[in-house]
Amino acid sequence: MVTIHDVAKAAGVSISTVSYALSGKRSISATTRTRIDRAIADLDYRPHAAARMLAGARTNILALSAPLRQDGHLPTHMRFVSAVVAASRAHDYDVLLLATDDEVSGIRRVGSSSLVDGVVMMGVATGDERLPIVRDLALPAAFIGVPGDVDDIACVDLDFAAAAREAVDRIADLGHRVVGMIGHPPSYLERQTGFIERFDQALEREAAAKGVRIVRRWAGLERGAGRSAVDELLAEAPQLTAVLFHCNEPVVEEAERRLLELGVDVPGQVSLFAAAASYDPSRLEIPLSGITLPLEDMCRRAVEAVFAAVDGRPAPDVTLLEPRFEDRGSLIPAP
Amino acid sequence: MVTIHDVAKAAGVSISTVSYALSGKRSISATTRTRIDRAIADLDYRPHAAARMLAGARTNILALSAPLRQDGHLPTHMRFVSAVVAASRAHDYDVLLLATDDEVSGIRRVGSSSLVDGVVMMGVATGDERLPIVRDLALPAAFIGVPGDVDDIACVDLDFAAAAREAVDRIADLGHRVVGMIGHPPSYLERQTGFIERFDQALEREAAAKGVRIVRRWAGLERGAGRSAVDELLAEAPQLTAVLFHCNEPVVEEAERRLLELGVDVPGQVSLFAAAASYDPSRLEIPLSGITLPLEDMCRRAVEAVFAAVDGRPAPDVTLLEPRFEDRGSLIPAP
DNA sequence: CGGCATCGTCGAAGCGCTTCGATAGCTTCG
DNA sequence: CGAAGCTATCGAAGCGCTTCGACGATGCCG
């Protein structure tokens, strides 16, 4: 193994000079720098990660706590994980993945042993049990989601209330007065993910303000849930002219299929709107207009909030990202 | 931060004694051990990971190189990742996730800086470019998949040839003589993943031996691919009595749906068989009899092969897991 | 009952790096 | 022209742990 000593010897300087040349924390003459660079290249020197962690202040590793629930949507989950890795790598950080029953205890383990500089947490719920842990460890952390009232730890999320308002406004402004809505399965609500409540409350208020009647259904994860949600909506409110989705991709796919099967003209008779889609709504059988979850942006900001905390810079408490509407033709004026 | 010195002082022993008590590498008297345990508990001591890595031989971290192709199936990918994490944690190892354009270069980075003890590689292709890297670094490694002729690095995979033979045998033995097959998209083949070739060759040979005619189609990833594959199969061989799937879940779902739509009686008229399913074939609209990819087992063995290499124990070169048939009622005797 | 393992413990070296303080050699300016 | 201030470099301390060799205290055997 080639160490900093070998480089120093080859370049004819002391190891501290090599170290400073590497970190740039003190000025180095051009000639010395050249000799050191050559030595490093010749020997193919790579600093020993553990030595660096021990002597330096940081590990250049971030933990990602990624709990995967029974009812979780795997593709979405994977997208979040990938996005966090990408965002971390952009800052030369590596990601340690905490999963499979270790998302909570693992934080304590890797945090208290100084294996990581901070932690990003997915799958956040109101009253998240990881909150006291990161507080206790004083570990730089960020939540993707909002675990209730938090003012000491960064949270990043879509502004679900604004998303609901935007959805209602756009739908109402096009003249729709009776709107069906298919929401996340009840199990999500029981888990107190928070975002559903925030969405629903704003939805209700805005609908009242705009004079829109909303008929709701929740689709579970079992096969056929999306299909029967559509059937039930149409039975209860045959006069509806729009359907708003706030649920996972499989449900949307089924619902679309059912509408086509029933010969409903989309968007001629019924407009469709995807709210906070965690999937790509442009790749559906009927591409959906609506608001896409800004997943990459959320992850990037969460990662950057952790870095801010690591560096002692002030990190924003709660960042709610503005919903961005994208038109894909599925939402048109009411017939 | 509480260090081993603090524990030693609190217990009234030297730090080496504490270290030996922790590692169990030398005997410690019962009384001393008790005092040390108490001190550790009182102070809530956690060994500093970096110090441990530096002084000791290993890092207790494994890298997971998880390339996600454009045409990759996210849920399957996530399952592999989870399974590797679970297997690693069972041995008290953490997993560093290399992804998003860093699956290859990242191996060199974390390997040469001694950040990890070894690496598990997913998404293996024939002539995999990661092979020379792990050889060059002499990094303990294991492939999930078989990158061609390899005798120095562990590979774990399903025995796809045996799976093909088993599929043909079971189907043929039930009297089916004309069998449709829907395979992976051509892009998979171009990438030389290897397993498709192994499957296809064995399939062809066994079909010839058993006197079964196989009509093949490949379904791409675009919407409707599974549907049209079914239509084409039925057009080319209307007399077929079984369909063999060797493809991703979305294709199977579409194909099943199309069969139902066409009023085909499954399995009365047409039996269905899932070969090497990377998804759960029991949760499909029509649960499929067949062979499930032993994903957890593959990951566990790969991880264990890396540990064997780390420990200097002999690791098996190529482990091909025996296919296991499971009956879910979709395969019955030919009408 | 003296010599010799064995057991339990200790001190110190060292893993490879970062960083602090010191210093030699220059330049600059009153 | 000498004090002051830079710039570039070095030596050494130290990060928290593991592990080697040493050593006193026991126990055991002939």
Side-chain angles (χ1 to χ4, degrees):
Chain A
M1 171 173 206
V2 27
T3 73
I4 199 171
H5 286 95
D6 304 318
V7 175
K9 201 182 297 170
V13 297
S14 74
I15 62 160
S16 51
T17 303
V18 176
S19 181
Y20 285 123
L22 247 42
S23 68
K25 291 191 178 169
R26 283 196 186 177
S27 49
I28 300 286
S29 71
T31 58
T32 306
R33 159 150 284 139
T34 313
R35 292 217 313 281
I36 291 177
D37 287 348
R38 275 220 45 187
I40 288 177
D42 288 352
L43 300 172
D44 192 29
Y45 165 71
R46 310 294 172 112
H48 191 283
R52 216 167 213 194
M53 293 181 203
L54 183 56
R58 57 187 55 179
T59 67
N60 269 255
I61 304 178
L62 231 52
L64 171 59
S65 170
L68 180 53
R69 325 283 178 181
Q70 197 69 45
D71 57 358
H73 192 226
L74 255 56
T76 301
H77 196 258
M78 190 67 230
R79 279 193 197 100
F80 271 106
V81 172
S82 293
V84 168
V85 170
S88 301
R89 287 300 309 143
H91 294 261
D92 202 33
Y93 262 69
D94 271 298
V95 171
L96 205 73
L97 185 58
L98 304 177
T100 59
D101 298 327
D102 191 44
E103 315 87 18
V104 178
S105 55
I107 294 177
R108 174 148 261 135
R109 180 167 45 78
V110 301
S112 62
S113 66
S114 306
L115 218 196
V116 302
D117 291 336
V119 57
V120 171
M121 289 166 282
M122 286 169 48
V124 174
T126 305
D128 201 294
E129 54 180 331
R130 294 167 292 184
L131 187 53
I133 295 181
V134 295
R135 273 195 183 126
D136 181 35
L137 296 175
L139 186 65
F143 289 97
I144 298 178
V146 182
D149 281 337
V150 179
D151 58 359
D152 53 344
I153 289 168
C155 308
V156 181
D157 209 347
L158 170 67
D159 188 338
F160 278 88
R165 285 191 297 270
E166 169 128 17
V168 172
D169 290 354
R170 290 201 175 260
I171 292 171
D173 292 353
L174 288 171
H176 299 275
R177 286 296 166 264
V178 179
V179 177
M181 154 156 181
I182 300 182
H184 280 287
S187 64
Y188 276 44
L189 256 173
E190 282 155 22
R191 203 200 297 143
Q192 307 219 296
T193 48
F195 73 91
I196 300 186
E197 289 88 332
R198 298 201 297 278
F199 184 89
D200 285 353
Q201 280 173 18
L203 187 78
E204 203 160 316
R205 192 163 310 162
E206 193 71 5
K210 288 277 181 174
V212 169
R213 177 179 158 218
I214 296 198
V215 182
R216 295 149 163 271
R217 279 298 177 280
W218 292 265
L221 297 153
E222 66 284 4
R223 199 168 286 282
R227 182 191 174 92
S228 34
V230 165
D231 290 346
E232 289 172 28
L233 282 182
L234 292 175
E236 180 168 347
Q239 72 275 40
L240 65 78
T241 58
V243 175
L244 172 63
F245 294 103
H246 188 214
C247 52
N248 280 329
E249 190 171 16
V251 173
V252 179
E253 297 211 314
E254 268 191 11
E256 287 193 347
R257 224 180 286 128
R258 182 54 174 164
L259 286 168
L260 293 175
E261 205 175 290
L262 292 172
V264 173
D265 175 15
V266 174
Q269 288 172 266
V270 174
S271 280
L272 261 32
F273 189 104
S278 62
Y279 46 88
D280 180 355
S282 69
R283 302 187 56 178
L284 291 164
E285 185 136 10
I286 304 170
L288 293 191
S289 300
I291 293 158
T292 308
L293 196 69
L295 198 147
E296 277 87 9
D297 204 17
M298 287 164 67
C299 291
R300 198 169 40 70
R301 286 174 190 250
V303 165
E304 279 165 6
V306 175
F307 291 146
V310 170
D311 294 342
R313 284 180 284 128
D317 291 343
V318 176
T319 307
L320 294 183
L321 300 178
E322 208 180 319
R324 267 199 42 215
F325 174 80
E326 280 169 281
D327 190 350
R328 299 195 181 82
S330 74
L331 176 65
I332 63 172
Chain B
M1 171 173 208
V2 29
T3 74
I4 197 171
H5 285 96
D6 304 319
V7 175
K9 199 182 299 171
V13 297
S14 74
I15 62 160
S16 51
T17 303
V18 176
S19 181
Y20 285 123
L22 247 40
S23 70
K25 290 190 179 168
R26 284 196 184 175
S27 48
I28 300 286
S29 69
T31 58
T32 306
R33 159 151 283 137
T34 312
R35 291 217 312 283
I36 292 177
D37 288 347
R38 273 219 46 185
I40 289 177
D42 288 352
L43 300 173
D44 191 28
Y45 164 70
R46 308 296 171 112
H48 190 282
R52 217 169 212 190
M53 293 182 201
L54 183 57
R58 58 187 56 180
T59 67
N60 269 255
I61 304 179
L62 233 51
L64 171 58
S65 169
L68 180 53
R69 325 283 179 183
Q70 198 68 48
D71 58 356
H73 192 226
L74 255 58
T76 301
H77 195 258
M78 190 68 231
R79 278 193 197 100
F80 272 106
V81 172
S82 293
V84 169
V85 170
S88 301
R89 287 300 311 144
H91 294 260
D92 203 31
Y93 262 70
D94 271 298
V95 172
L96 205 72
L97 184 58
L98 304 178
T100 60
D101 300 325
D102 191 44
E103 312 88 357
V104 177
S105 54
I107 294 177
R108 174 148 261 135
R109 179 167 47 78
V110 301
S112 62
S113 66
S114 304
L115 219 197
V116 302
D117 292 336
V119 57
V120 172
M121 287 166 283
M122 287 171 46
V124 174
T126 306
D128 201 295
E129 53 179 333
R130 294 168 293 185
L131 187 52
I133 295 181
V134 296
R135 275 195 183 126
D136 180 35
L137 295 175
L139 186 66
F143 289 97
I144 297 178
V146 183
D149 281 337
V150 179
D151 58 0
D152 53 343
I153 288 167
C155 308
V156 182
D157 210 346
L158 170 66
D159 189 338
F160 278 89
R165 287 192 297 271
E166 169 127 18
V168 172
D169 291 356
R170 291 205 174 256
I171 292 171
D173 292 354
L174 288 171
H176 300 275
R177 286 296 165 263
V178 180
V179 177
M181 155 156 178
I182 300 181
H184 280 287
S187 64
Y188 276 45
L189 256 173
E190 284 154 23
R191 202 198 299 143
Q192 308 220 295
T193 48
F195 72 91
I196 299 185
E197 290 88 332
R198 300 201 296 279
F199 184 88
D200 284 352
Q201 280 173 20
L203 187 77
E204 205 161 312
R205 193 163 307 162
E206 193 71 6
K210 289 277 183 171
V212 169
R213 174 177 160 224
I214 296 201
V215 182
R216 294 149 165 271
R217 279 299 177 279
W218 291 267
L221 297 154
E222 68 284 2
R223 196 167 287 281
R227 181 189 173 94
S228 35
V230 166
D231 290 345
E232 289 171 29
L233 282 181
L234 291 176
E236 180 169 345
Q239 73 275 41
L240 66 76
T241 58
V243 175
L244 172 63
F245 293 103
H246 187 214
C247 52
N248 280 330
E249 190 172 17
V251 174
V252 179
E253 296 212 316
E254 269 191 11
E256 287 194 347
R257 224 177 287 129
R258 181 56 175 164
L259 286 167
L260 294 176
E261 205 174 291
L262 292 171
V264 174
D265 175 17
V266 176
Q269 288 172 265
V270 175
S271 279
L272 263 29
F273 189 103
S278 62
Y279 46 88
D280 180 355
S282 70
R283 301 187 57 178
L284 290 164
E285 185 135 10
I286 304 170
L288 294 191
S289 300
I291 293 158
T292 308
L293 195 69
L295 198 147
E296 276 87 9
D297 204 16
M298 289 165 64
C299 292
R300 198 170 41 70
R301 285 175 191 251
V303 165
E304 279 165 6
V306 175
F307 291 146
V310 169
D311 294 343
R313 284 179 284 128
D317 290 342
V318 176
T319 308
L320 293 182
L321 300 178
E322 206 180 321
R324 268 198 42 214
F325 174 81
E326 281 169 280
D327 190 350
R328 299 193 182 83
S330 74
L331 175 66
I332 62 171

